[in-house]
Coordinates of all heavy atoms in Angstrom, one line a residue:
M1 N 1.8 12.5 -4.0 CA 0.7 12.7 -3.0 C 0.4 11.5 -2.2 O 0.5 10.4 -2.8 CB -0.6 13.2 -3.8 CG -1.6 13.9 -2.9 SD -3.0 14.3 -3.9 CE -4.2 13.3 -3.1
S2 N 0.1 11.6 -0.9 CA -0.1 10.4 -0.1 C -1.6 10.0 -0.2 O -2.5 10.8 -0.3 CB 0.2 10.8 1.4 OG 1.5 11.2 1.5
T3 N -1.8 8.7 -0.2 CA -3.1 8.1 -0.4 C -3.4 7.2 0.8 O -2.6 6.3 1.1 CB -3.2 7.3 -1.7 OG1 -2.9 8.2 -2.8 CG2 -4.6 6.8 -1.9
L4 N -4.5 7.5 1.4 CA -5.0 6.6 2.5 C -5.7 5.4 2.0 O -6.6 5.5 1.2 CB -5.9 7.4 3.4 CG -6.6 6.7 4.6 CD1 -5.6 6.1 5.6 CD2 -7.7 7.6 5.2
K5 N -5.3 4.2 2.5 CA -6.0 3.0 2.1 C -6.6 2.3 3.4 O -6.0 2.3 4.5 CB -5.0 2.0 1.5 CG -4.3 2.5 0.3 CD -5.2 2.5 -0.9 CE -4.4 2.9 -2.2 NZ -5.3 3.0 -3.3
A6 N -7.8 1.8 3.3 CA -8.5 1.1 4.4 C -8.9 -0.2 3.9 O -9.7 -0.4 2.9 CB -9.7 1.9 4.8
N7 N -8.3 -1.3 4.4 CA -8.6 -2.6 4.0 C -9.7 -3.2 4.9 O -9.5 -3.6 6.1 CB -7.4 -3.5 4.2 CG -7.6 -4.9 3.7 OD1 -8.7 -5.4 3.5 ND2 -6.5 -5.6 3.3
R8 N -10.9 -3.2 4.4 CA -12.1 -3.6 5.1 C -12.1 -5.1 5.5 O -12.8 -5.5 6.4 CB -13.4 -3.2 4.4 CG -13.6 -1.7 4.4 CD -14.7 -1.3 3.4 NE -15.9 -2.1 3.5 CZ -16.9 -2.0 4.4 NH1 -16.8 -1.1 5.3 NH2 -17.9 -2.8 4.3
D9 N -11.3 -5.9 4.8 CA -11.2 -7.3 5.1 C -10.4 -7.6 6.3 O -10.5 -8.6 6.9 CB -10.6 -8.1 3.9 CG -11.5 -8.1 2.7 OD1 -12.7 -8.0 2.8 OD2 -10.9 -8.1 1.5
V10 N -9.5 -6.6 6.7 CA -8.6 -6.7 7.8 C -9.2 -6.0 9.0 O -9.0 -6.4 10.2 CB -7.2 -6.2 7.5 CG1 -6.3 -6.1 8.7 CG2 -6.6 -7.0 6.3
C11 N -10.0 -5.0 8.8 CA -10.6 -4.2 9.9 C -11.4 -5.1 10.9 O -12.1 -5.9 10.5 CB -11.5 -3.1 9.4 SG -12.4 -2.2 10.6
I12 N -11.1 -4.9 12.2 CA -11.9 -5.6 13.2 C -12.9 -4.8 13.9 O -13.5 -5.2 14.9 CB -10.9 -6.2 14.2 CG1 -10.1 -5.1 14.9 CG2 -10.0 -7.3 13.6 CD1 -9.2 -5.6 16.1
G13 N -13.1 -3.6 13.4 CA -14.2 -2.8 13.9 C -14.0 -2.2 15.3 O -14.9 -1.9 16.0
A14 N -12.7 -2.0 15.6 CA -12.4 -1.4 16.9 C -12.8 0.0 17.1 O -13.0 0.5 18.2 CB -10.9 -1.6 17.2
G15 N -12.9 0.8 16.0 CA -13.4 2.1 16.0 C -12.4 3.2 16.5 O -12.7 4.3 16.7
V16 N -11.1 2.8 16.7 CA -10.1 3.7 17.1 C -9.9 4.8 16.1 O -9.8 6.0 16.5 CB -8.8 3.0 17.4 CG1 -7.7 4.0 17.8 CG2 -8.9 1.9 18.5
C17 N -9.9 4.5 14.9 CA -9.8 5.5 13.8 C -10.9 6.5 13.9 O -10.6 7.7 13.7 CB -9.7 4.8 12.4 SG -11.2 3.8 12.0
V18 N -12.1 6.1 14.1 CA -13.2 7.0 14.1 C -13.1 8.0 15.3 O -13.4 9.2 15.2 CB -14.6 6.3 14.2 CG1 -15.7 7.2 14.2 CG2 -14.7 5.3 13.0
M19 N -12.7 7.4 16.5 CA -12.5 8.3 17.7 C -11.3 9.2 17.4 O -11.3 10.3 18.0 CB -12.2 7.4 18.9 CG -13.5 6.7 19.4 SD -13.2 5.8 20.9 CE -12.4 4.3 20.2
T20 N -10.3 8.8 16.6 CA -9.2 9.7 16.4 C -9.5 10.8 15.4 O -9.1 12.0 15.6 CB -8.0 8.9 15.9 OG1 -7.7 7.8 16.8 CG2 -6.8 9.7 15.7
D21 N -10.2 10.5 14.4 CA -10.5 11.5 13.3 C -11.9 11.2 12.7 O -11.9 10.5 11.6 CB -9.4 11.5 12.3 CG -9.5 12.6 11.3 OD1 -10.5 13.3 11.3 OD2 -8.6 12.8 10.5
H22 N -12.9 11.6 13.3 CA -14.3 11.3 12.8 C -14.6 12.0 11.5 O -15.7 11.8 10.9 CB -15.3 11.5 13.9 CG -15.5 12.9 14.3 ND1 -14.8 13.4 15.4 CD2 -16.1 13.9 13.8 CE1 -15.1 14.7 15.6 NE2 -15.9 15.0 14.6
A23 N -13.8 13.0 11.1 CA -14.1 13.7 9.9 C -13.7 12.8 8.6 O -14.2 13.0 7.6 CB -13.3 15.0 9.8
V24 N -12.8 11.9 8.8 CA -12.3 11.1 7.7 C -12.8 9.7 7.8 O -13.2 9.1 6.8 CB -10.8 11.1 7.7 CG1 -10.2 10.1 6.7 CG2 -10.3 12.5 7.4
F25 N -12.9 9.1 9.0 CA -13.3 7.7 9.2 C -14.7 7.6 9.7 O -15.1 8.4 10.6 CB -12.3 7.0 10.2 CG -10.9 7.1 9.7 CD1 -10.0 8.1 10.2 CD2 -10.3 6.1 8.9 CE1 -8.7 8.2 9.8 CE2 -9.0 6.2 8.5 CZ -8.2 7.2 8.9
D26 N -15.3 6.5 9.3 CA -16.7 6.2 9.8 C -16.7 4.7 9.9 O -15.8 4.0 9.4 CB -17.8 6.8 8.9 CG -19.1 6.9 9.7 OD1 -19.2 6.4 10.9 OD2 -20.0 7.6 9.2
Q27 N -17.8 4.1 10.4 CA -18.0 2.7 10.4 C -19.4 2.4 9.9 O -20.4 3.1 10.1 CB -17.9 2.2 11.9 CG -16.5 2.2 12.5 CD -16.5 1.9 14.0 OE1 -16.9 2.8 14.7 NE2 -16.1 0.8 14.4
D28 N -19.5 1.3 9.1 CA -20.8 0.8 8.6 C -21.6 0.1 9.7 O -21.1 0.1 10.9 CB -20.6 -0.1 7.4 CG -19.9 -1.4 7.7 OD1 -19.8 -1.8 8.8 OD2 -19.5 -2.1 6.7
E29 N -22.7 -0.4 9.4 CA -23.6 -1.0 10.4 C -22.9 -2.2 11.1 O -23.3 -2.6 12.2 CB -24.9 -1.4 9.9 CG -24.9 -2.4 8.7 CD -24.7 -1.8 7.4 OE1 -24.3 -0.6 7.3 OE2 -24.9 -2.5 6.4
D30 N -21.9 -2.8 10.5 CA -21.2 -3.9 11.1 C -20.0 -3.5 11.8 O -19.2 -4.3 12.4 CB -20.8 -4.9 10.0 CG -22.0 -5.6 9.3 OD1 -23.0 -5.9 10.1 OD2 -22.0 -5.8 8.1
G31 N -19.7 -2.2 11.9 CA -18.6 -1.6 12.6 C -17.3 -1.6 11.8 O -16.2 -1.2 12.3
I32 N -17.4 -2.0 10.5 CA -16.2 -2.0 9.6 C -16.0 -0.6 9.1 O -16.9 0.1 8.7 CB -16.4 -3.0 8.5 CG1 -16.7 -4.4 9.1 CG2 -15.2 -3.1 7.6 CD1 -15.7 -4.9 10.0
V33 N -14.7 -0.3 9.0 CA -14.3 1.1 8.6 C -14.8 1.5 7.2 O -14.8 0.7 6.3 CB -12.8 1.2 8.7 CG1 -12.0 0.4 7.7 CG2 -12.4 2.7 8.6
T34 N -15.2 2.7 7.1 CA -15.5 3.4 5.8 C -14.8 4.7 5.8 O -14.5 5.3 6.9 CB -17.0 3.6 5.6 OG1 -17.5 4.4 6.6 CG2 -17.8 2.2 5.6
L35 N -14.5 5.2 4.6 CA -13.9 6.5 4.5 C -15.0 7.5 4.0 O -15.8 7.2 3.2 CB -12.7 6.5 3.5 CG -11.6 5.5 3.9 CD1 -10.5 5.6 2.8 CD2 -11.0 5.8 5.3
S36 N -14.9 8.7 4.6 CA -15.9 9.7 4.3 C -15.8 10.3 2.9 O -16.7 10.8 2.3 CB -15.9 10.9 5.3 OG -14.6 11.4 5.4
S37 N -14.6 10.2 2.3 CA -14.4 10.6 0.9 C -13.4 9.6 0.3 O -12.7 8.9 1.0 CB -13.8 12.0 0.8 OG -12.5 12.1 1.3
A38 N -13.4 9.5 -1.0 CA -12.6 8.5 -1.7 C -11.1 8.8 -1.5 O -10.3 7.8 -1.5 CB -12.9 8.5 -3.2
D39 N -10.7 10.0 -1.4 CA -9.3 10.4 -1.4 C -9.0 11.5 -0.3 O -8.7 12.6 -0.7 CB -8.8 10.8 -2.7 CG -7.2 10.8 -2.8 OD1 -6.6 10.3 -1.9 OD2 -6.7 11.4 -3.8
P40 N -9.2 11.2 0.9 CA -9.1 12.2 1.9 C -7.6 12.8 2.1 O -6.7 12.0 1.8 CB -9.5 11.5 3.2 CG -9.2 10.1 3.0 CD -9.5 9.9 1.5
T41 N -7.5 14.0 2.5 CA -6.2 14.6 2.7 C -5.5 13.8 3.9 O -6.1 13.6 4.9 CB -6.4 16.1 3.1 OG1 -7.0 16.7 2.1 CG2 -5.0 16.7 3.4
V42 N -4.3 13.4 3.7 CA -3.5 12.7 4.7 C -2.8 13.7 5.6 O -1.7 14.2 5.2 CB -2.5 11.7 4.1 CG1 -1.7 11.0 5.1 CG2 -3.3 10.7 3.2
D43 N -3.4 14.1 6.7 CA -2.8 15.0 7.6 C -2.3 14.3 8.9 O -2.3 13.1 8.9 CB -3.8 16.2 7.9 CG -5.1 15.6 8.5 OD1 -5.1 14.5 8.9 OD2 -6.0 16.4 8.6
D44 N -1.9 15.1 9.9 CA -1.3 14.4 11.1 C -2.4 13.6 11.8 O -2.1 12.6 12.4 CB -0.8 15.5 12.0 CG 0.5 16.1 11.5 OD1 1.1 15.5 10.6 OD2 1.0 17.1 12.0
A45 N -3.7 14.0 11.8 CA -4.7 13.3 12.4 C -4.9 11.9 11.7 O -5.1 10.9 12.4 CB -6.0 14.1 12.4
V46 N -4.9 11.9 10.4 CA -5.0 10.7 9.7 C -3.8 9.8 10.0 O -4.0 8.6 10.2 CB -5.1 11.0 8.2 CG1 -5.0 9.7 7.4 CG2 -6.5 11.6 7.9
R47 N -2.6 10.3 10.0 CA -1.5 9.5 10.3 C -1.6 8.9 11.7 O -1.2 7.8 12.0 CB -0.2 10.4 10.1 CG 0.1 10.7 8.7 CD 1.4 11.5 8.5 NE 1.5 12.0 7.2 CZ 1.9 11.3 6.1 NH1 2.3 10.0 6.3 NH2 2.0 11.8 4.9
G48 N -2.1 9.7 12.6 CA -2.3 9.2 14.0 C -3.3 8.1 14.1 O -3.1 7.1 14.8
A49 N -4.3 8.2 13.3 CA -5.3 7.1 13.2 C -4.7 5.8 12.6 O -5.0 4.7 13.1 CB -6.5 7.5 12.4
V50 N -3.9 6.0 11.6 CA -3.3 4.8 10.9 C -2.4 4.1 11.9 O -2.4 2.9 12.1 CB -2.5 5.3 9.7 CG1 -1.7 4.1 9.1 CG2 -3.5 5.8 8.6
A51 N -1.6 4.9 12.7 CA -0.7 4.4 13.7 C -1.4 3.7 14.8 O -0.9 2.8 15.4 CB 0.2 5.5 14.2
S52 N -2.6 4.1 15.1 CA -3.4 3.6 16.3 C -4.2 2.4 16.0 O -4.7 1.7 16.9 CB -4.3 4.7 16.8 OG -3.5 5.8 17.2
C53 N -4.5 2.1 14.7 CA -5.3 1.0 14.3 C -4.7 -0.3 14.8 O -3.6 -0.6 14.5 CB -5.5 1.0 12.8 SG -6.4 -0.5 12.3
P54 N -5.5 -1.1 15.6 CA -4.9 -2.3 16.2 C -4.8 -3.5 15.2 O -4.1 -4.4 15.5 CB -5.9 -2.6 17.3 CG -7.2 -2.0 16.9 CD -6.8 -0.8 16.1
S55 N -5.5 -3.4 14.1 CA -5.5 -4.5 13.2 C -4.6 -4.3 12.0 O -4.4 -5.3 11.2 CB -7.0 -4.7 12.7 OG -7.3 -3.7 11.8
G56 N -4.0 -3.1 11.8 CA -3.2 -2.9 10.6 C -4.0 -2.7 9.4 O -3.5 -2.9 8.3
A57 N -5.3 -2.4 9.5 CA -6.2 -2.3 8.3 C -5.9 -1.0 7.5 O -6.2 -0.9 6.4 CB -7.6 -2.3 8.7
L58 N -5.3 0.0 8.2 CA -5.1 1.3 7.6 C -3.6 1.4 7.1 O -2.7 1.0 7.8 CB -5.4 2.4 8.6 CG -6.9 2.4 9.1 CD1 -7.0 3.5 10.2 CD2 -7.9 2.5 8.0
S59 N -3.4 2.0 6.0 CA -2.1 2.3 5.5 C -2.1 3.5 4.7 O -3.1 4.0 4.2 CB -1.6 1.1 4.7 OG -2.4 0.9 3.6
I60 N -0.9 4.1 4.4 CA -0.7 5.3 3.6 C 0.3 4.9 2.5 O 1.4 4.5 2.8 CB -0.2 6.5 4.5 CG1 -1.3 6.8 5.5 CG2 0.1 7.6 3.6 CD1 -0.8 7.8 6.5
E61 N -0.1 5.1 1.3 CA 0.8 5.0 0.2 C 1.4 6.4 -0.1 O 0.7 7.3 -0.4 CB 0.1 4.4 -1.0 CG -0.3 3.0 -0.9 CD -1.0 2.4 -2.1 OE1 -1.1 3.2 -3.1 OE2 -1.4 1.3 -2.1
E62 N 2.7 6.5 0.0 CA 3.4 7.8 -0.2 C 3.8 7.9 -1.7 O 4.0 7.0 -2.4 CB 4.7 7.8 0.6 CG 4.4 7.6 2.1 CD 3.7 8.8 2.8 OE1 3.4 9.8 2.1 OE2 3.4 8.7 4.0
Ligands
SF4_101 S1 -9.1 1.5 14.0 FE1 -8.6 -0.1 12.5 S2 -9.7 -1.9 13.2 FE2 -10.6 -0.2 14.2 S3 -12.3 0.5 12.9 FE3 -10.5 1.7 12.3 S4 -9.6 0.5 10.6 FE4 -11.0 -0.9 11.7

């Protein structure tokens, strides 16, 4: 099963992931990425968000 990882130390708060898939990604008050659930389903939208993140904060463990 694929697992989505979000490295909050690397995130620069660009918000691209939230705009791509707001059901899975959110931002805290500082703009840093949060996940709406601990282990979200890795679908095409999530993969698109991971690919679009400018900081490389998002990854998928296969
Ligand atoms: S797209 Fe990347 S840098 Fe931007 S908020 Fe999401 S995880 Fe952070």
